[in-house]
């Protein structure tokens, strides 16, 4: 069945109630997805070019990527690339198309993979393994905004544990506004907006899944580094300190992705930033450092986290990891798109239906920065649409959605 579309107040397509929702492409004039490819990607290429003293080879490759993104077609990786066969399989029906005619999730992911090739990240030369986004991440981590946020922790030190837990959960959701890729073209959202505009809030169900003293294993799938990862780590410390979890596995990206996505090196940078801070932030950093040493906090980086695929197509080894956890917490907009499927679902489609395949209880903490949304109450949707604001993509609204029941074994 092909889904018909109209237009909502954000300028993009509105889904009709049919079951099979339309895959989001980037060829809809005025759509958010088109703006990412047409505006954000070219701007990012220029930022990366200026961030390092790259040589002629990198500049030529970046020019070629810019031209392909704007006017060319999708071409496969060079046969010499180690993941050539994998990407050839993923893109076998897409090569030769305009980037704008491919699924949005796929074209975004492949753009970042091609960007890493252009700067020599996977090569054998001196730029091998040099994160092209590192200057942006480090600048944010050193910023005064982080100083202020860490000092604010002192005011929470003597607050009752339940109240502190709620505050830290909201800070983790709010931290998802700290997305460098989003700010390449959009600028910061209004201060505090995400906290004030939770359009779905299942935090009570989340607390029920992780009562104090539960002593369980929790998986946390990170999104961005820097100002977002720090509140995530602080929330992790709270869960460990109060035995909401005995052990936490933090899943990060295996290589640079989507500008600010967190890798192991970014986790280490954030732990150092915490540990070197005065007051409560320093105490949290020391506890997390110790938790890493004892195995209560473990970092993993599965290759699937940089794949252009929904979680419904996750490999069996990752499925087994999530099945073994009492709860999996997915942070951020990209993880949400991969969790529910990057399609124009009807906004009131139940979150539990779209995540029924997931191997265990799952929670999504997300600031809205793209069109995909499910699980809204009709009255909430009506109010958002009446506002006339681009609520889906502006980074001013957020959600906490939870599905507690587990799916049957496969």
């Amino acid at each position: 069945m092909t889904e018909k579309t109209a237009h909502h107040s954000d300028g993009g397509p509105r889904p009709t109630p049919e079951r099979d929702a339309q895959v989001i492409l980037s060829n809809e004039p005025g759509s958010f997805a088109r703006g990412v490819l047409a505006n954000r990607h070219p701007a990012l290429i220029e930022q990366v070019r200026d961030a390092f003293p790259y040589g002629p080879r990198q500049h030529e490759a970046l020019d070629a990527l810019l031209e392909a993104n704007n006017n060319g077609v999708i071409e496969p990786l060079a046969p010499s690339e180690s993941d050539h066969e994998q990407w050839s399989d993923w893109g076998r029906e897409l090569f030769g198309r305009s980037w704008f005619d491919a699924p949005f999730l796929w074209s975004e992911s492949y753009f970042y993979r091609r960007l890493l090739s252009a700067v020599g990240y996977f090569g054998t030369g001196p730029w091998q393994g040099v994160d092209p986004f590192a200057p942006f991440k480090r600048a944010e981590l050193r910023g005064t905004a982080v100083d202020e946020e860490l000092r604010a922790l002192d005011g929470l030190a003597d607050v009752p544990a339940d109240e502190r837990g709620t505050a830290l959960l909201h800070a983790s959701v709010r931290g998802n506004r700290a997305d460098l890729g989003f700010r390449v073209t959009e600028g910061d959202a209004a201060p505090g907006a995400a906290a004030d505009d939770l359009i779905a809030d299942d935090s009570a169900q989340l607390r029920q899944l992780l009562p104090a003293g539960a002593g369980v294993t929790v998986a946390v799938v990170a999104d961005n580094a820097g100002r977002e990862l720090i509140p995530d780590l602080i929330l992790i410390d709270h869960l460990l300190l109060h035995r909401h979890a005995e052990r936490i596995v933090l899943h990060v990206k295996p290589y640079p992705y989507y500008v600010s996505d967190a890798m192991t090196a970014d986790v280490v940078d954030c732990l150092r930033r915490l540990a070197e801070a005065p007051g409560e932030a320093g105490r949290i950093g020391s506890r997390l450092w110790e938790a890493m040493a004892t195995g209560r906090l473990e970092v993993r980086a599965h290759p699937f986290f940089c794949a252009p695929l929904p979680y419904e197509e996750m490999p069996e080894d990752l499925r087994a990891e999530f099945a073994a956890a009492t709860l999996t917490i997915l942070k951020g907009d990209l993880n949400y798109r991969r969790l529910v499927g990057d399609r124009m679902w009807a906004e009131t489609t139940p979150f539990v239906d779209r995540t029924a395949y997931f191997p265990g209880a799952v929670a999504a903490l997300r600031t809205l920065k793209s069109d995909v949304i499910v699980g809204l109450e009709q009255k909430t949707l009506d109010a958002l649409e009446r506002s006339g604001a681009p609520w889906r993509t502006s980074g001013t609204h957020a959600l906490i959605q939870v599905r507690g029941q587990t799916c049957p074994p496969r």
Side-chain angles (χ1 to χ4, degrees):
M1 183 188 310
T2 301
E3 177 150 333
K4 299 172 184 157
T5 60
H7 283 81
H8 55 60
S9 61
D10 293 18
R14 175 196 294 280
T16 55
E18 281 96 342
R19 185 177 61 183
D20 297 327
Q22 181 182 11
V23 173
I24 296 177
L25 306 178
S26 301
N27 56 12
E28 178 80 16
S31 68
F32 174 78
R34 185 175 183 87
V36 169
L37 264 67
N39 302 318
R40 187 182 301 179
H41 285 180
L44 178 59
I45 289 173
E46 294 306 315
Q47 287 192 350
V48 167
R49 183 198 306 275
D50 294 341
F52 287 94
Y54 289 127
R57 192 203 70 78
Q58 282 84 12
H59 283 280
E60 291 171 5
L62 289 170
D63 287 341
L65 178 60
L66 179 62
E67 175 61 24
N69 177 84
N70 291 346
N71 305 305
V73 297
I74 303 170
E75 297 179 352
L77 295 175
S80 58
E81 300 274 10
S82 61
D83 52 352
H84 166 78
E85 290 188 9
Q86 179 66 85
W87 278 99
S88 293
D89 179 55
W90 287 335
R92 61 184 177 274
E93 297 177 0
L94 302 174
F95 297 127
R97 292 191 194 181
S98 164
W99 287 75
F100 293 88
D101 292 334
F104 181 40
L105 177 64
W106 195 96
S107 59
E108 270 200 295
S109 295
Y110 194 53
F111 170 82
Y112 284 98
R113 177 60 187 84
R114 293 300 300 265
L115 180 60
L116 293 180
S117 288
V119 299
Y121 182 87
F122 294 113
T124 57
W127 294 102
Q128 182 182 27
V130 176
D131 181 356
F133 313 128
F136 317 137
K137 297 176 185 177
R138 290 170 183 160
E140 182 187 62
L141 201 55
R142 291 193 301 264
T144 57
V146 174
D147 290 330
E148 294 172 3
E149 289 159 0
L150 296 185
R151 280 195 296 269
L153 290 170
D154 293 336
L156 285 176
D158 297 323
V159 171
D162 287 349
E163 293 180 30
R164 185 165 66 251
T166 298
L168 295 178
L169 175 63
H170 288 172
S172 181
V173 176
R174 194 162 60 243
N176 188 223
R177 288 172 49 217
D179 179 337
L180 295 168
F182 185 69
R183 293 205 303 273
V184 164
T185 53
E186 300 298 330
D188 264 333
D196 297 336
D197 289 315
L198 274 175
I199 60 175
D201 185 5
D202 294 338
S203 54
Q205 187 177 356
L206 183 60
R207 286 191 291 270
Q208 290 174 0
L209 288 170
L210 297 176
V216 299
T217 296
V218 174
V220 177
V221 183
D223 188 33
N224 298 311
R227 281 182 65 197
E228 178 179 349
L229 186 56
I230 282 182
D232 293 345
L233 289 169
I234 294 169
L235 178 62
I236 285 171
D237 170 73
H238 179 83
L239 295 177
L240 291 173
L241 183 64
H242 296 279
R243 296 292 306 280
H244 296 284
E246 180 63 30
R247 179 171 171 269
I248 291 181
V249 179
L250 178 61
H251 296 272
V252 297
K253 302 296 190 299
Y255 55 78
Y257 198 58
Y258 279 66
V259 188
S260 54
D261 281 26
M263 303 187 298
T264 301
D266 301 309
V267 175
V268 174
D269 286 345
C270 288
L271 288 177
R272 285 202 179 105
R273 184 72 162 88
L274 281 165
E276 293 169 359
E280 183 66 9
R283 290 187 285 273
I284 291 170
S286 296
R287 287 196 298 264
L288 289 169
W289 200 278
E290 177 65 17
M292 290 280 286
T294 60
R296 294 188 70 208
L297 174 59
E298 180 182 352
V299 177
R300 296 183 186 173
H302 195 287
F304 181 76
F305 292 118
C306 289
L309 305 173
Y311 279 109
E312 200 159 6
E313 298 181 36
M314 74 179 83
E316 289 303 321
D317 60 338
L318 189 58
R319 171 174 284 273
E321 284 203 44
F322 290 150
T326 300
L327 173 69
T328 298
I329 299 173
L330 296 174
K331 275 300 306 292
D333 198 77
L334 176 60
N335 278 323
Y336 189 88
R337 291 164 59 193
R338 298 181 73 186
L339 176 66
V340 305
D342 205 33
R343 294 170 175 263
M344 290 306 300
W345 304 106
E347 300 91 337
T348 55
T349 301
F351 179 75
V352 295
D353 289 355
R354 288 305 317 134
T355 58
Y357 70 88
F358 200 87
V362 62
L365 310 183
R366 175 207 184 195
T367 297
L368 276 65
K369 303 174 191 173
S370 65
D371 284 312
V372 179
I373 183 70
V374 298
L376 293 187
E377 296 183 0
Q378 186 64 52
K379 63 180 181 181
T380 300
L381 175 62
D382 292 343
L384 290 166
E385 292 290 83
R386 284 195 302 270
S387 73
W391 57 271
R392 300 166 185 264
T393 58
S394 62
T396 55
H397 294 73
L399 58 78
I400 301 170
Q401 290 178 324
V402 177
R403 197 216 74 215
Q405 53 275 57
T406 58
C407 68
R410 289 177 45 155

